[in-house]
Amino acid sequence: MNHDKKKDIYENIDMEKSGRRMKWILTNAGYDVRTIQNYLQLSCPQPIYRWFQGKILPTVDHLFMLSRLLGIHMEDFLVGRRDVDVEYAFVNHRIVLYYNYIAGKKCFGRLQYKGQNLK
């Protein structure tokens, strides 16, 4: 048995892409690292930078708080290894809908990806 290979802890989560998605969602919502740090009551900003780099994932508590802050689901921050394209389309659509909602716009269309309707 080969013990040299390091087993990926999160086999179904693409940490690097999840980190990029998290950074994109938060920065496009107008939040900077210092604001997130204060909101989550973190003593230093390093964990947030590590999330964005895909080195670690936030705790469930932190994902929950961030999802409540933005009005999205916790899963929207995470990217699965297999269905990245559909996930990005879904999150982008949800962000646009949320922006329209807070901006008072009544534009709630259905999301289509490659000819398929998504929820």
Side-chain angles (χ1 to χ4, degrees):
M1 187 174 352
N2 187 355
H3 294 288
D4 294 335
K5 288 187 177 182
K6 182 180 172 188
K7 185 173 171 138
D8 193 354
I9 297 171
Y10 304 103
E11 293 180 6
N12 297 310
I13 298 173
D14 189 316
M15 290 177 55
E16 191 174 312
K17 289 179 181 173
S18 294
R20 286 197 306 262
R21 175 183 285 177
M22 209 172 305
K23 181 177 182 178
W24 187 88
I25 290 171
L26 292 166
T27 55
N28 282 293
Y31 296 101
D32 61 8
V33 171
R34 186 66 62 190
T35 305
I36 298 165
Q37 175 190 349
N38 291 334
Y39 176 72
L40 297 176
Q41 300 178 352
L42 297 171
S43 60
C44 62
Q46 279 75 18
I48 299 166
Y49 289 114
R50 289 187 194 118
W51 301 343
F52 291 170
Q53 295 166 358
K55 293 181 178 179
I56 61 172
L57 289 173
T59 63
V60 173
D61 254 1
H62 290 149
L63 278 175
F64 181 76
M65 290 176 68
L66 291 171
S67 69
R68 289 295 172 115
L69 176 68
L70 297 174
I72 63 176
H73 294 283
M74 292 171 36
E75 296 88 10
D76 292 341
F77 288 109
L78 305 174
V79 178
R81 291 198 187 271
R82 293 183 180 88
D83 50 0
V84 174
D85 292 337
V86 172
E87 288 289 322
Y88 271 114
F90 180 68
V91 168
N92 289 339
H93 179 71
R94 289 192 57 154
I95 290 170
V96 168
L97 289 178
Y98 179 68
Y99 172 79
N100 289 338
Y101 171 75
I102 62 173
K105 298 178 183 177
K106 295 185 179 182
C107 178
F108 301 102
R110 293 194 66 58
L111 173 64
Q112 285 199 346
Y113 179 75
K114 293 186 179 179
Q116 297 178 4
N117 284 332
L118 302 175
K119 288 185 178 181

